[in-house]
Amino acid sequence: MAKKNLKGIVYSTNSNFQFQYEEEPEKETLLPGKQDLRVRRDSKHRGGKMVTLITGFQGTEEDMEVLARKLKTQCGTGGSCKDGEIVIQGDVREKICEILTKDGYKFKKAGG
């Protein structure tokens, strides 16, 4: 779903004025070999619970959700996909790295 842009108009006194929305094109999803993902562990602002974050996905929200669903299923954990990040519950960084390698994704381990 593309986001709408109002072209900088804030308010108009013209009673017949209608907004003309400018559609932003959706990003095209890169091939797995051209993705540059970062896989890291994180526990900040999560009540001390450890999660694994995957950032840097270039593509549509739907494709990112498909990848998140696959990772959650194969790891046997929960998680979410929002704000351009895939969040997988638990410290499953090694398992995620194995899955991404098998699927041909290019990634780097980040953090500690």
Side-chain angles (χ1 to χ4, degrees):
M1 185 160 103
K3 294 183 180 178
K4 295 180 180 178
N5 189 357
L6 294 176
K7 293 185 179 181
I9 299 200
V10 178
Y11 181 79
S12 176
T13 57
N14 185 354
S15 61
N16 296 327
F17 181 78
Q18 293 183 1
F19 286 110
Q20 293 180 1
Y21 294 103
E22 183 178 289
E23 299 264 339
E24 293 180 9
E26 280 198 28
K27 298 178 192 173
E28 194 171 308
T29 303
L30 295 177
L31 296 173
K34 298 198 180 219
Q35 295 280 354
D36 189 23
L37 304 176
R38 299 282 188 258
V39 181
R40 64 185 175 99
R41 290 180 229 151
D42 188 37
S43 64
K44 294 181 182 174
H45 307 291
R46 301 179 199 285
K49 306 277 183 173
M50 186 68 72
V51 297
T52 304
L53 288 174
I54 298 102
T55 58
F57 186 83
Q58 299 289 320
T60 63
E61 288 288 323
E62 292 83 18
D63 291 337
M64 186 167 62
E65 289 173 7
V66 168
L67 177 61
R69 191 176 312 119
K70 180 177 184 174
L71 293 173
K72 290 188 297 185
T73 303
Q74 291 189 4
C75 291
T77 63
S80 66
C81 178
K82 59 183 177 181
D83 299 331
E85 292 182 333
I86 299 173
V87 180
I88 306 293
Q89 294 174 352
D91 183 8
V92 289
R93 185 167 74 163
E94 296 304 321
K95 194 168 188 177
I96 287 176
C97 290
E98 291 174 12
I99 295 167
L100 291 175
T101 301
K102 188 169 60 172
D103 289 347
Y105 281 93
K106 189 173 106 178
F107 66 93
K108 290 183 182 177
K109 292 181 184 177

